[in-house]
Amino acid sequence: MTASPTAPDFLSDQLALRERRVLVPADGADTAVFTYEPSPADDAAPAILAVHGFRGTHHGLLRVVDQLPGVRFVMPDLPGFGESGVLPTGEHSVAGYGRWLGSLADELGLGPETVLLGHSFGSIVAAHFAAAHLGRFRRLILVNPISAPALEGPAGIAGRLAELYYWSAAKLPESAGAALLRSPAVVRVMSGIMAKTKDPDLRAFIHAQHHAHFSEFANRASLLESFKASISHHAAETADRLDLPVLLIAGEKDEVADLADVRRFHERCADSRLTVIPGVGHLIHYETPEPAAAAIEEFLAEGGA
């Protein structure tokens, strides 16, 4: 594992040295792909294709990547987010993102030995893709997996409030709606609710990350389609169809992906293991990358990677 992160960025200087960026056409979308090569170089290193969460970009997973220098991470910005273009045809739905993901993997030559990872909304996309394309990837990692309908259960109230927020943004004129969606005040409130750490420096880092990247979406239409996708499906819908080893990494205090729901998901999977990280909520990738990376490292070793 790497040494402790460098304050105030909480990312090591080595991370930038591992990065290379390419623009790849996938299902018609110009997709920005950020690959983090293993250090030292190793052609036999395991490869993980990682799908980030709703309104995020590849940046959100960098603290986990930083903890796994021996792994090759391939991390695209989802269509409509970050530096990637929108899908030119079809909606930004779970099925639409699934078609894009398969196209991207083919374009990059990522074979079945690749491990697929999804965080939050990315867990929905990754799980549905794995269930629909049996044998396409050999292992599946889901971090903060969305394991129940967003508008039901303990997270239902927050889900309804989010639905009202996005519905309101959709009803406003284009400029006003986009301004509401990019509102720094709203982003700060969301960030403050999700962060559980008491470390003031880490909280400042998390808020800065959300401020910098949470509004990097292409346009209102694609964002609203993505939000609709995020509340219309969940990863546990696929539990009975997943025929590959699955690692679930859950936060004890996650208010978005409730731990009880994740446990039920785990029990329904034919071949899964569950890591619960205490004291953290929906920001495992920011707040507790070390135990998350340790669980991933053990999971990869289990598969002979």
Side-chain angles (χ1 to χ4, degrees):
M1 307 292 281
T2 60
S4 59
T6 301
D9 293 330
F10 288 89
L11 297 169
S12 76
D13 294 335
Q14 293 299 310
L15 191 62
L17 300 177
R18 294 173 57 192
E19 180 185 290
R20 62 180 178 84
R21 176 192 179 280
V22 294
L23 198 62
V24 179
D27 198 37
D30 287 334
T31 304
V33 180
F34 298 80
T35 298
Y36 295 84
E37 298 292 353
S39 178
D42 180 4
D43 291 339
I48 293 178
L49 172 59
V51 184
H52 65 74
F54 176 65
R55 288 195 68 159
T57 69
H58 75 283
H59 292 90
L61 294 166
L62 288 182
R63 291 203 73 205
V64 176
V65 174
D66 213 4
Q67 295 294 318
L68 293 166
V71 177
R72 175 177 292 104
F73 275 88
V74 181
M75 304 207 301
D77 285 343
L78 281 169
F81 296 96
E83 297 183 28
S84 293
V86 298
L87 293 171
T89 59
E91 286 196 349
H92 294 76
S93 61
V94 171
Y97 280 126
R99 288 191 300 272
W100 161 82
L101 184 62
S103 174
L104 180 68
D106 290 342
E107 289 288 340
L108 295 173
L110 297 175
E113 72 283 354
T114 305
V115 177
L116 182 61
L117 180 151
H119 170 255
S120 190
F121 175 60
S123 75
I124 303 175
V125 174
H128 277 263
F129 183 89
H133 302 83
L134 303 180
R136 183 62 181 85
F137 296 113
R138 68 184 184 90
R139 288 182 164 253
L140 177 65
I141 300 169
L142 304 178
V143 183
N144 293 119
I146 307 300
S147 304
L151 303 181
E152 299 177 11
I157 294 176
R160 291 293 181 187
L161 289 174
E163 185 180 37
L164 176 61
Y165 167 65
Y166 285 100
W167 179 87
S168 299
K171 293 300 181 181
L172 289 170
E174 175 66 33
S175 60
L180 177 60
L181 292 170
R182 289 190 166 93
S183 167
V186 173
V187 171
R188 181 63 176 78
V189 169
M190 291 179 182
S191 184
I193 291 172
M194 290 190 290
K196 303 302 180 187
T197 180
K198 303 301 183 183
D199 182 335
D201 290 334
L202 181 54
R203 287 186 72 89
F205 172 77
I206 292 169
H207 297 330
Q209 287 286 298
H210 285 152
H211 177 75
H213 305 299
F214 211 60
S215 294
E216 288 186 333
F217 56 88
N219 55 54
R220 180 174 66 166
S222 62
L223 180 66
L224 293 174
E225 288 177 358
S226 297
F227 173 71
K228 180 181 177 182
S230 75
I231 64 172
S232 299
H233 294 280
H234 58 89
E237 291 173 318
T238 68
D240 299 332
R241 296 181 285 131
L242 293 174
D243 70 342
L244 74 174
V246 180
L247 170 63
L248 304 172
I249 304 178
E252 177 193 24
K253 297 182 177 181
D254 196 334
E255 296 162 339
V256 178
D258 185 70
L259 180 56
D261 294 324
V262 180
R263 290 192 187 280
R264 284 189 284 271
F265 184 11
H266 167 54
E267 291 167 359
R268 290 177 54 204
C269 289
D271 183 7
S272 69
R273 54 284 292 142
L274 170 63
T275 294
V276 178
I277 302 179
V280 68
H282 202 62
L283 302 182
I284 285 173
H285 55 314
Y286 282 135
E287 295 188 34
T288 56
E290 296 89 350
I296 292 171
E297 200 166 46
E298 181 178 349
F299 184 60
L300 295 178
E302 176 189 302

PDB file of all heavy atoms in Angstrom, residues 141-174:
ATOM      1  N   ILE A 141     -16.838  -5.477  -8.583  1.00  0.00           N
ATOM      2  CA  ILE A 141     -16.682  -4.772  -7.312  1.00  0.00           C
ATOM      3  C   ILE A 141     -17.696  -3.631  -7.276  1.00  0.00           C
ATOM      4  O   ILE A 141     -17.741  -2.812  -8.195  1.00  0.00           O
ATOM      5  CB  ILE A 141     -15.258  -4.205  -7.151  1.00  0.00           C
ATOM      6  CG1 ILE A 141     -14.212  -5.321  -7.199  1.00  0.00           C
ATOM      7  CG2 ILE A 141     -15.132  -3.413  -5.849  1.00  0.00           C
ATOM      8  CD1 ILE A 141     -12.784  -4.807  -7.306  1.00  0.00           C
ATOM      9  N   LEU A 142     -18.492  -3.574  -6.220  1.00  0.00           N
ATOM     10  CA  LEU A 142     -19.493  -2.524  -6.074  1.00  0.00           C
ATOM     11  C   LEU A 142     -19.234  -1.778  -4.769  1.00  0.00           C
ATOM     12  O   LEU A 142     -19.294  -2.374  -3.691  1.00  0.00           O
ATOM     13  CB  LEU A 142     -20.906  -3.114  -6.097  1.00  0.00           C
ATOM     14  CG  LEU A 142     -21.262  -3.963  -7.331  1.00  0.00           C
ATOM     15  CD1 LEU A 142     -22.672  -4.530  -7.197  1.00  0.00           C
ATOM     16  CD2 LEU A 142     -21.123  -3.148  -8.616  1.00  0.00           C
ATOM     17  N   VAL A 143     -18.948  -0.488  -4.875  1.00  0.00           N
ATOM     18  CA  VAL A 143     -18.645   0.358  -3.720  1.00  0.00           C
ATOM     19  C   VAL A 143     -19.845   1.255  -3.443  1.00  0.00           C
ATOM     20  O   VAL A 143     -20.360   1.902  -4.351  1.00  0.00           O
ATOM     21  CB  VAL A 143     -17.384   1.215  -3.978  1.00  0.00           C
ATOM     22  CG1 VAL A 143     -17.029   2.035  -2.742  1.00  0.00           C
ATOM     23  CG2 VAL A 143     -16.206   0.334  -4.401  1.00  0.00           C
ATOM     24  N   ASN A 144     -20.289   1.282  -2.163  1.00  0.00           N
ATOM     25  CA  ASN A 144     -21.534   1.988  -1.823  1.00  0.00           C
ATOM     26  C   ASN A 144     -22.646   1.590  -2.791  1.00  0.00           C
ATOM     27  O   ASN A 144     -23.284   2.444  -3.427  1.00  0.00           O
ATOM     28  CB  ASN A 144     -21.346   3.502  -1.855  1.00  0.00           C
ATOM     29  CG  ASN A 144     -20.419   4.028  -0.769  1.00  0.00           C
ATOM     30  OD1 ASN A 144     -19.384   4.618  -1.077  1.00  0.00           O
ATOM     31  ND2 ASN A 144     -20.764   3.829   0.485  1.00  0.00           N
ATOM     32  N   PRO A 145     -22.904   0.271  -2.937  1.00  0.00           N
ATOM     33  CA  PRO A 145     -23.875  -0.175  -3.937  1.00  0.00           C
ATOM     34  C   PRO A 145     -25.306   0.229  -3.599  1.00  0.00           C
ATOM     35  O   PRO A 145     -25.782   0.037  -2.478  1.00  0.00           O
ATOM     36  CB  PRO A 145     -23.712  -1.705  -3.909  1.00  0.00           C
ATOM     37  CG  PRO A 145     -23.229  -1.997  -2.519  1.00  0.00           C
ATOM     38  CD  PRO A 145     -22.345  -0.848  -2.155  1.00  0.00           C
ATOM     39  N   ILE A 146     -25.992   0.791  -4.581  1.00  0.00           N
ATOM     40  CA  ILE A 146     -27.401   1.152  -4.416  1.00  0.00           C
ATOM     41  C   ILE A 146     -28.200  -0.145  -4.468  1.00  0.00           C
ATOM     42  O   ILE A 146     -28.288  -0.790  -5.507  1.00  0.00           O
ATOM     43  CB  ILE A 146     -27.860   2.116  -5.525  1.00  0.00           C
ATOM     44  CG1 ILE A 146     -26.922   3.326  -5.606  1.00  0.00           C
ATOM     45  CG2 ILE A 146     -29.300   2.545  -5.271  1.00  0.00           C
ATOM     46  CD1 ILE A 146     -26.832   4.141  -4.338  1.00  0.00           C
ATOM     47  N   SER A 147     -28.793  -0.523  -3.338  1.00  0.00           N
ATOM     48  CA  SER A 147     -29.338  -1.874  -3.199  1.00  0.00           C
ATOM     49  C   SER A 147     -30.835  -1.934  -2.951  1.00  0.00           C
ATOM     50  O   SER A 147     -31.368  -2.980  -2.578  1.00  0.00           O
ATOM     51  CB  SER A 147     -28.603  -2.594  -2.059  1.00  0.00           C
ATOM     52  OG  SER A 147     -27.197  -2.594  -2.286  1.00  0.00           O
ATOM     53  N   ALA A 148     -31.520  -0.808  -3.152  1.00  0.00           N
ATOM     54  CA  ALA A 148     -32.972  -0.758  -2.988  1.00  0.00           C
ATOM     55  C   ALA A 148     -33.486   0.436  -3.782  1.00  0.00           C
ATOM     56  O   ALA A 148     -32.714   1.337  -4.128  1.00  0.00           O
ATOM     57  CB  ALA A 148     -33.347  -0.622  -1.513  1.00  0.00           C
ATOM     58  N   PRO A 149     -34.796   0.470  -4.082  1.00  0.00           N
ATOM     59  CA  PRO A 149     -35.357   1.618  -4.805  1.00  0.00           C
ATOM     60  C   PRO A 149     -35.080   2.929  -4.072  1.00  0.00           C
ATOM     61  O   PRO A 149     -35.230   3.014  -2.845  1.00  0.00           O
ATOM     62  CB  PRO A 149     -36.854   1.304  -4.845  1.00  0.00           C
ATOM     63  CG  PRO A 149     -36.926  -0.189  -4.759  1.00  0.00           C
ATOM     64  CD  PRO A 149     -35.804  -0.588  -3.850  1.00  0.00           C
ATOM     65  N   ALA A 150     -34.673   3.939  -4.809  1.00  0.00           N
ATOM     66  CA  ALA A 150     -34.249   5.203  -4.210  1.00  0.00           C
ATOM     67  C   ALA A 150     -35.368   5.921  -3.480  1.00  0.00           C
ATOM     68  O   ALA A 150     -35.116   6.706  -2.562  1.00  0.00           O
ATOM     69  CB  ALA A 150     -33.676   6.111  -5.292  1.00  0.00           C
ATOM     70  N   LEU A 151     -36.607   5.688  -3.873  1.00  0.00           N
ATOM     71  CA  LEU A 151     -37.733   6.429  -3.300  1.00  0.00           C
ATOM     72  C   LEU A 151     -38.461   5.642  -2.215  1.00  0.00           C
ATOM     73  O   LEU A 151     -39.536   6.032  -1.765  1.00  0.00           O
ATOM     74  CB  LEU A 151     -38.715   6.833  -4.403  1.00  0.00           C
ATOM     75  CG  LEU A 151     -38.113   7.657  -5.542  1.00  0.00           C
ATOM     76  CD1 LEU A 151     -39.187   8.023  -6.551  1.00  0.00           C
ATOM     77  CD2 LEU A 151     -37.420   8.909  -5.013  1.00  0.00           C
ATOM     78  N   GLU A 152     -37.852   4.542  -1.769  1.00  0.00           N
ATOM     79  CA  GLU A 152     -38.461   3.721  -0.730  1.00  0.00           C
ATOM     80  C   GLU A 152     -37.477   3.548   0.418  1.00  0.00           C
ATOM     81  O   GLU A 152     -36.292   3.836   0.296  1.00  0.00           O
ATOM     82  CB  GLU A 152     -38.847   2.344  -1.296  1.00  0.00           C
ATOM     83  CG  GLU A 152     -39.859   2.401  -2.430  1.00  0.00           C
ATOM     84  CD  GLU A 152     -40.154   1.029  -3.014  1.00  0.00           C
ATOM     85  OE1 GLU A 152     -39.734   0.021  -2.399  1.00  0.00           O
ATOM     86  OE2 GLU A 152     -40.789   0.966  -4.081  1.00  0.00           O
ATOM     87  N   GLY A 153     -37.958   3.051   1.543  1.00  0.00           N
ATOM     88  CA  GLY A 153     -37.097   2.718   2.660  1.00  0.00           C
ATOM     89  C   GLY A 153     -36.498   3.923   3.355  1.00  0.00           C
ATOM     90  O   GLY A 153     -36.982   5.055   3.217  1.00  0.00           O
ATOM     91  N   PRO A 154     -35.392   3.720   4.117  1.00  0.00           N
ATOM     92  CA  PRO A 154     -34.784   4.798   4.906  1.00  0.00           C
ATOM     93  C   PRO A 154     -34.346   5.988   4.075  1.00  0.00           C
ATOM     94  O   PRO A 154     -34.338   7.123   4.556  1.00  0.00           O
ATOM     95  CB  PRO A 154     -33.574   4.098   5.555  1.00  0.00           C
ATOM     96  CG  PRO A 154     -33.934   2.649   5.582  1.00  0.00           C
ATOM     97  CD  PRO A 154     -34.738   2.416   4.339  1.00  0.00           C
ATOM     98  N   ALA A 155     -33.955   5.756   2.827  1.00  0.00           N
ATOM     99  CA  ALA A 155     -33.481   6.849   1.972  1.00  0.00           C
ATOM    100  C   ALA A 155     -34.608   7.508   1.180  1.00  0.00           C
ATOM    101  O   ALA A 155     -34.359   8.415   0.396  1.00  0.00           O
ATOM    102  CB  ALA A 155     -32.413   6.317   1.002  1.00  0.00           C
ATOM    103  N   GLY A 156     -35.838   7.065   1.411  1.00  0.00           N
ATOM    104  CA  GLY A 156     -36.950   7.535   0.603  1.00  0.00           C
ATOM    105  C   GLY A 156     -37.207   9.025   0.699  1.00  0.00           C
ATOM    106  O   GLY A 156     -37.502   9.679  -0.308  1.00  0.00           O
ATOM    107  N   ILE A 157     -37.100   9.588   1.917  1.00  0.00           N
ATOM    108  CA  ILE A 157     -37.360  11.024   2.079  1.00  0.00           C
ATOM    109  C   ILE A 157     -36.326  11.838   1.310  1.00  0.00           C
ATOM    110  O   ILE A 157     -36.667  12.774   0.571  1.00  0.00           O
ATOM    111  CB  ILE A 157     -37.340  11.400   3.575  1.00  0.00           C
ATOM    112  CG1 ILE A 157     -38.510  10.720   4.299  1.00  0.00           C
ATOM    113  CG2 ILE A 157     -37.422  12.909   3.734  1.00  0.00           C
ATOM    114  CD1 ILE A 157     -38.526  10.955   5.790  1.00  0.00           C
ATOM    115  N   ALA A 158     -35.061  11.469   1.461  1.00  0.00           N
ATOM    116  CA  ALA A 158     -34.000  12.171   0.731  1.00  0.00           C
ATOM    117  C   ALA A 158     -34.193  12.006  -0.773  1.00  0.00           C
ATOM    118  O   ALA A 158     -33.967  12.947  -1.550  1.00  0.00           O
ATOM    119  CB  ALA A 158     -32.630  11.645   1.146  1.00  0.00           C
ATOM    120  N   GLY A 159     -34.626  10.817  -1.179  1.00  0.00           N
ATOM    121  CA  GLY A 159     -34.873  10.579  -2.595  1.00  0.00           C
ATOM    122  C   GLY A 159     -35.991  11.450  -3.135  1.00  0.00           C
ATOM    123  O   GLY A 159     -35.898  11.982  -4.248  1.00  0.00           O
ATOM    124  N   ARG A 160     -37.049  11.614  -2.349  1.00  0.00           N
ATOM    125  CA  ARG A 160     -38.167  12.459  -2.777  1.00  0.00           C
ATOM    126  C   ARG A 160     -37.747  13.926  -2.867  1.00  0.00           C
ATOM    127  O   ARG A 160     -38.163  14.656  -3.772  1.00  0.00           O
ATOM    128  CB  ARG A 160     -39.324  12.314  -1.794  1.00  0.00           C
ATOM    129  CG  ARG A 160     -40.007  10.955  -1.817  1.00  0.00           C
ATOM    130  CD  ARG A 160     -40.746  10.718  -3.120  1.00  0.00           C
ATOM    131  NE  ARG A 160     -41.428   9.417  -3.115  1.00  0.00           N
ATOM    132  CZ  ARG A 160     -42.048   8.890  -4.166  1.00  0.00           C
ATOM    133  NH1 ARG A 160     -42.074   9.566  -5.301  1.00  0.00           N
ATOM    134  NH2 ARG A 160     -42.613   7.713  -4.097  1.00  0.00           N
ATOM    135  N   LEU A 161     -36.930  14.362  -1.928  1.00  0.00           N
ATOM    136  CA  LEU A 161     -36.432  15.744  -1.970  1.00  0.00           C
ATOM    137  C   LEU A 161     -35.565  15.968  -3.203  1.00  0.00           C
ATOM    138  O   LEU A 161     -35.658  17.008  -3.867  1.00  0.00           O
ATOM    139  CB  LEU A 161     -35.642  16.055  -0.696  1.00  0.00           C
ATOM    140  CG  LEU A 161     -36.469  16.176   0.587  1.00  0.00           C
ATOM    141  CD1 LEU A 161     -35.552  16.327   1.786  1.00  0.00           C
ATOM    142  CD2 LEU A 161     -37.436  17.355   0.500  1.00  0.00           C
ATOM    143  N   ALA A 162     -34.715  14.979  -3.510  1.00  0.00           N
ATOM    144  CA  ALA A 162     -33.879  15.085  -4.710  1.00  0.00           C
ATOM    145  C   ALA A 162     -34.744  15.110  -5.960  1.00  0.00           C
ATOM    146  O   ALA A 162     -34.494  15.880  -6.895  1.00  0.00           O
ATOM    147  CB  ALA A 162     -32.897  13.916  -4.767  1.00  0.00           C
ATOM    148  N   GLU A 163     -35.790  14.283  -5.964  1.00  0.00           N
ATOM    149  CA  GLU A 163     -36.699  14.249  -7.116  1.00  0.00           C
ATOM    150  C   GLU A 163     -37.360  15.610  -7.308  1.00  0.00           C
ATOM    151  O   GLU A 163     -37.481  16.107  -8.434  1.00  0.00           O
ATOM    152  CB  GLU A 163     -37.747  13.166  -6.905  1.00  0.00           C
ATOM    153  CG  GLU A 163     -38.673  12.961  -8.091  1.00  0.00           C
ATOM    154  CD  GLU A 163     -39.698  11.876  -7.840  1.00  0.00           C
ATOM    155  OE1 GLU A 163     -40.184  11.764  -6.693  1.00  0.00           O
ATOM    156  OE2 GLU A 163     -40.028  11.146  -8.789  1.00  0.00           O
ATOM    157  N   LEU A 164     -37.770  16.244  -6.199  1.00  0.00           N
ATOM    158  CA  LEU A 164     -38.385  17.564  -6.271  1.00  0.00           C
ATOM    159  C   LEU A 164     -37.393  18.593  -6.811  1.00  0.00           C
ATOM    160  O   LEU A 164     -37.758  19.447  -7.632  1.00  0.00           O
ATOM    161  CB  LEU A 164     -38.875  17.988  -4.890  1.00  0.00           C
ATOM    162  CG  LEU A 164     -39.473  19.398  -4.774  1.00  0.00           C
ATOM    163  CD1 LEU A 164     -40.709  19.535  -5.662  1.00  0.00           C
ATOM    164  CD2 LEU A 164     -39.830  19.704  -3.323  1.00  0.00           C
ATOM    165  N   TYR A 165     -36.165  18.504  -6.368  1.00  0.00           N
ATOM    166  CA  TYR A 165     -35.115  19.424  -6.823  1.00  0.00           C
ATOM    167  C   TYR A 165     -34.905  19.311  -8.329  1.00  0.00           C
ATOM    168  O   TYR A 165     -34.907  20.324  -9.055  1.00  0.00           O
ATOM    169  CB  TYR A 165     -33.835  19.107  -6.059  1.00  0.00           C
ATOM    170  CG  TYR A 165     -32.564  19.727  -6.598  1.00  0.00           C
ATOM    171  CD1 TYR A 165     -32.379  21.105  -6.603  1.00  0.00           C
ATOM    172  CD2 TYR A 165     -31.535  18.919  -7.064  1.00  0.00           C
ATOM    173  CE1 TYR A 165     -31.196  21.673  -7.076  1.00  0.00           C
ATOM    174  CE2 TYR A 165     -30.348  19.470  -7.533  1.00  0.00           C
ATOM    175  CZ  TYR A 165     -30.189  20.849  -7.537  1.00  0.00           C
ATOM    176  OH  TYR A 165     -29.019  21.392  -7.999  1.00  0.00           O
ATOM    177  N   TYR A 166     -34.770  18.099  -8.824  1.00  0.00           N
ATOM    178  CA  TYR A 166     -34.522  17.914 -10.257  1.00  0.00           C
ATOM    179  C   TYR A 166     -35.778  18.210 -11.079  1.00  0.00           C
ATOM    180  O   TYR A 166     -35.686  18.730 -12.194  1.00  0.00           O
ATOM    181  CB  TYR A 166     -33.997  16.497 -10.528  1.00  0.00           C
ATOM    182  CG  TYR A 166     -32.553  16.347 -10.107  1.00  0.00           C
ATOM    183  CD1 TYR A 166     -32.215  15.753  -8.897  1.00  0.00           C
ATOM    184  CD2 TYR A 166     -31.523  16.841 -10.897  1.00  0.00           C
ATOM    185  CE1 TYR A 166     -30.899  15.641  -8.490  1.00  0.00           C
ATOM    186  CE2 TYR A 166     -30.198  16.738 -10.502  1.00  0.00           C
ATOM    187  CZ  TYR A 166     -29.893  16.134  -9.297  1.00  0.00           C
ATOM    188  OH  TYR A 166     -28.585  16.042  -8.900  1.00  0.00           O
ATOM    189  N   TRP A 167     -36.947  17.902 -10.528  1.00  0.00           N
ATOM    190  CA  TRP A 167     -38.199  18.246 -11.217  1.00  0.00           C
ATOM    191  C   TRP A 167     -38.317  19.765 -11.343  1.00  0.00           C
ATOM    192  O   TRP A 167     -38.705  20.279 -12.400  1.00  0.00           O
ATOM    193  CB  TRP A 167     -39.376  17.668 -10.439  1.00  0.00           C
ATOM    194  CG  TRP A 167     -40.719  17.989 -11.037  1.00  0.00           C
ATOM    195  CD1 TRP A 167     -41.374  17.289 -12.013  1.00  0.00           C
ATOM    196  CD2 TRP A 167     -41.570  19.096 -10.701  1.00  0.00           C
ATOM    197  NE1 TRP A 167     -42.578  17.889 -12.310  1.00  0.00           N
ATOM    198  CE2 TRP A 167     -42.726  19.004 -11.526  1.00  0.00           C
ATOM    199  CE3 TRP A 167     -41.471  20.153  -9.794  1.00  0.00           C
ATOM    200  CZ2 TRP A 167     -43.764  19.923 -11.445  1.00  0.00           C
ATOM    201  CZ3 TRP A 167     -42.500  21.070  -9.717  1.00  0.00           C
ATOM    202  CH2 TRP A 167     -43.636  20.963 -10.541  1.00  0.00           C
ATOM    203  N   SER A 168     -37.972  20.481 -10.271  1.00  0.00           N
ATOM    204  CA  SER A 168     -38.037  21.949 -10.302  1.00  0.00           C
ATOM    205  C   SER A 168     -37.078  22.510 -11.340  1.00  0.00           C
ATOM    206  O   SER A 168     -37.419  23.438 -12.092  1.00  0.00           O
ATOM    207  CB  SER A 168     -37.703  22.531  -8.923  1.00  0.00           C
ATOM    208  OG  SER A 168     -38.614  22.090  -7.949  1.00  0.00           O
ATOM    209  N   ALA A 169     -35.875  21.956 -11.391  1.00  0.00           N
ATOM    210  CA  ALA A 169     -34.882  22.415 -12.369  1.00  0.00           C
ATOM    211  C   ALA A 169     -35.349  22.156 -13.791  1.00  0.00           C
ATOM    212  O   ALA A 169     -35.040  22.921 -14.708  1.00  0.00           O
ATOM    213  CB  ALA A 169     -33.542  21.722 -12.119  1.00  0.00           C
ATOM    214  N   ALA A 170     -36.100  21.083 -13.978  1.00  0.00           N
ATOM    215  CA  ALA A 170     -36.596  20.755 -15.315  1.00  0.00           C
ATOM    216  C   ALA A 170     -37.706  21.706 -15.757  1.00  0.00           C
ATOM    217  O   ALA A 170     -37.868  21.978 -16.955  1.00  0.00           O
ATOM    218  CB  ALA A 170     -37.115  19.321 -15.336  1.00  0.00           C
ATOM    219  N   LYS A 171     -38.481  22.232 -14.809  1.00  0.00           N
ATOM    220  CA  LYS A 171     -39.627  23.079 -15.137  1.00  0.00           C
ATOM    221  C   LYS A 171     -39.230  24.533 -15.393  1.00  0.00           C
ATOM    222  O   LYS A 171     -39.971  25.271 -16.038  1.00  0.00           O
ATOM    223  CB  LYS A 171     -40.655  23.023 -14.008  1.00  0.00           C
ATOM    224  CG  LYS A 171     -41.319  21.654 -13.848  1.00  0.00           C
ATOM    225  CD  LYS A 171     -42.058  21.238 -15.110  1.00  0.00           C
ATOM    226  CE  LYS A 171     -42.739  19.887 -14.959  1.00  0.00           C
ATOM    227  NZ  LYS A 171     -43.429  19.473 -16.201  1.00  0.00           N
ATOM    228  N   LEU A 172     -38.075  24.941 -14.877  1.00  0.00           N
ATOM    229  CA  LEU A 172     -37.628  26.318 -15.058  1.00  0.00           C
ATOM    230  C   LEU A 172     -37.133  26.546 -16.487  1.00  0.00           C
ATOM    231  O   LEU A 172     -36.803  25.583 -17.195  1.00  0.00           O
ATOM    232  CB  LEU A 172     -36.502  26.619 -14.074  1.00  0.00           C
ATOM    233  CG  LEU A 172     -36.886  26.725 -12.596  1.00  0.00           C
ATOM    234  CD1 LEU A 172     -35.620  26.775 -11.737  1.00  0.00           C
ATOM    235  CD2 LEU A 172     -37.752  27.949 -12.365  1.00  0.00           C
ATOM    236  N   PRO A 173     -37.051  27.798 -16.926  1.00  0.00           N
ATOM    237  CA  PRO A 173     -36.392  28.066 -18.209  1.00  0.00           C
ATOM    238  C   PRO A 173     -34.972  27.517 -18.200  1.00  0.00           C
ATOM    239  O   PRO A 173     -34.355  27.357 -17.134  1.00  0.00           O
ATOM    240  CB  PRO A 173     -36.398  29.600 -18.281  1.00  0.00           C
ATOM    241  CG  PRO A 173     -37.546  30.011 -17.421  1.00  0.00           C
ATOM    242  CD  PRO A 173     -37.604  29.013 -16.308  1.00  0.00           C
ATOM    243  N   GLU A 174     -34.417  27.263 -19.381  1.00  0.00           N
ATOM    244  CA  GLU A 174     -33.129  26.577 -19.505  1.00  0.00           C
ATOM    245  C   GLU A 174     -32.041  27.200 -18.636  1.00  0.00           C
ATOM    246  O   GLU A 174     -31.370  26.500 -17.857  1.00  0.00           O
ATOM    247  CB  GLU A 174     -32.681  26.584 -20.972  1.00  0.00           C
ATOM    248  CG  GLU A 174     -31.286  26.012 -21.212  1.00  0.00           C
ATOM    249  CD  GLU A 174     -31.190  24.531 -20.921  1.00  0.00           C
ATOM    250  OE1 GLU A 174     -32.182  23.810 -21.137  1.00  0.00           O
ATOM    251  OE2 GLU A 174     -30.106  24.079 -20.482  1.00  0.00           O
TER     252      GLU A 174
END
